[in-house]
Amino acid sequence: MERMARAGYATFSWDKPGTGESTGQLDPSRVQRQRAQVVLDAIEVMKARPDIDPRQIGLAGISQAGYVMPRVLSPARMSPL
């Protein structure tokens, strides 16, 4: 994340619910949906910032992001998460 920031990219990172300083818990039966919603919420936060071009927002991740990001980017997400 620091390397991306030094390269001029804005970054947004958070602790998953119940980890680090984050509150809440993940429901194991809905973990993919909950994580996808967190990403969608983060995108909205980024889009609201005047110093970020909302047309230039991208996603990068590892591990669990491999199943969450496709869900976020899928046209099927138009159905309720």
Side-chain angles (χ1 to χ4, degrees):
M1 200 169 75
E2 290 174 12
R3 190 174 190 182
M4 290 184 77
R6 284 193 305 270
Y9 293 93
T11 59
F12 190 105
S13 179
W14 61 91
D15 292 329
K16 65 184 176 182
T19 303
E21 295 182 27
S22 182
T23 60
Q25 292 184 338
L26 288 173
D27 177 348
S29 69
R30 297 180 28 177
V31 69
Q32 289 184 10
R33 290 183 202 145
Q34 285 180 302
R35 294 253 171 106
Q37 188 60 56
V38 168
V39 173
L40 291 168
D41 293 345
I43 291 169
E44 292 303 313
V45 168
M46 298 290 277
K47 286 168 60 175
R49 292 185 55 102
D51 56 337
I52 293 178
D53 181 346
R55 298 168 297 166
Q56 296 291 319
I57 294 173
L59 300 175
I62 59 171
S63 190
Q64 294 174 357
Y67 66 81
V68 173
M69 288 190 318
R71 182 181 201 107
V72 168
L73 299 172
S74 169
R77 79 171 166 80
M78 299 308 283
S79 61
L81 290 175

